Amino acid sequence: MKKSLLVLLVLFAFVACKDNGDTKTEPTATTVGVMEPLPSWNEGQTKQAIINYVNEVTTTGSENFIPVSERVAVFDNDGNLWSEQPAYFQLFFAMDRIKALAPEHPEWKTTQPYQSVLENDMKTLMSHGEHGLIQIVMATHGGNTVTEFEQIVKDWLATAKHPRFNRPYTDLVYQPMLELINYLKSSDFKTFIVSGGGIEFMRPWVEGVYGISKDQVIGSSIKTKYDYNDGNPVIRRLPELNFIDDKEGKPEGINQYIGRKPVFASGNSDGDLQMLRWADSNTYPSFELYLHHTDSVREWAYDRKSSVGRLDKGLDEAKEKGWTVIDMEKDWKVVYPFELKN
């Protein structure tokens, strides 16, 4: 019990939710109208461990009872709430932005790393490492206002399709994790997203997809500046890094923006390890949950040697400390909401 913005760039079972500060959403065509906990999870140790923990810490009189004010649950996003292969979805967004802005920058045709993006040469792009990715982020994520950027993200999500599934990226959220979020919310847990992805890339869509309020998102960010703009106040996004919410940055961000240690922490990579350790140090009973990508048919199978979402040290530590590890292939009846219609 007890995944820098690439990382730098880097709907669910409807459960009656009590008012805990989370956004409430109405059931949609992708939700399941049932009341049983975690219906898309197979019966077994993983599902039962989650249910046992929630029952134990929410039952009045239990020696492990946790007050509502302390029921903080944190979730990584990439590879934990939605897929992250063959590359982080925010990287696909940034690459599409490079192509859209290219007419304004003819020099990009012969300048790396932009040239590799325009030529769809992912291997060369990745060879430029973190520095190259930072250049892509700065060229595509700054130079506009926060309102303009929000609309750009919304427009992209409305039209962009994943290269494997040919579906909108928001279709590739994990049905079982959506159920888990609502299950926790129904037991008065306040749920937060703590992701290496960009905070202003996630805010435009998390409420509608996850039912998590946009003010309950912690992510990597670039610097911004207030501008009165001749009587029209705006906040402008600057091409400068502000905060990287990955590895040590995750507990630091949790401490800065939430102010409470989580009692429930969920991730899928070594970039989440420090966040899970932070939860594990809570004086209240805590639950640490790793998602292991073991399903090569319905999704992807990867862990220790993956360049995206590597799970190596975390997998070993989970075994050592008795944290719960989801075996995607064995523990989930379905992976994506659209499978429910099949």
Side-chain angles (χ1 to χ4, degrees), residues 84-108:
E84 62 182 355
Q85 296 283 358
Y88 300 121
F89 294 177
Q90 191 171 352
L91 176 56
F92 285 120
F93 166 75
M95 293 173 68
D96 284 348
R97 287 294 298 154
I98 289 292
K99 294 172 183 178
L101 294 170
E104 303 172 22
H105 299 275
E107 71 279 8
W108 285 356

Side-chain angles (χ1 to χ4, degrees), residues 131-159:
H131 176 72
L133 296 174
I134 291 175
Q135 288 182 268
I136 297 296
V137 173
M138 295 303 101
T140 60
H141 286 57
N144 40 42
T145 69
V146 293
T147 302
E148 291 168 342
F149 187 75
E150 179 176 353
Q151 190 60 50
I152 290 170
V153 172
K154 288 180 176 179
D155 291 345
W156 181 78
L157 287 171
T159 59

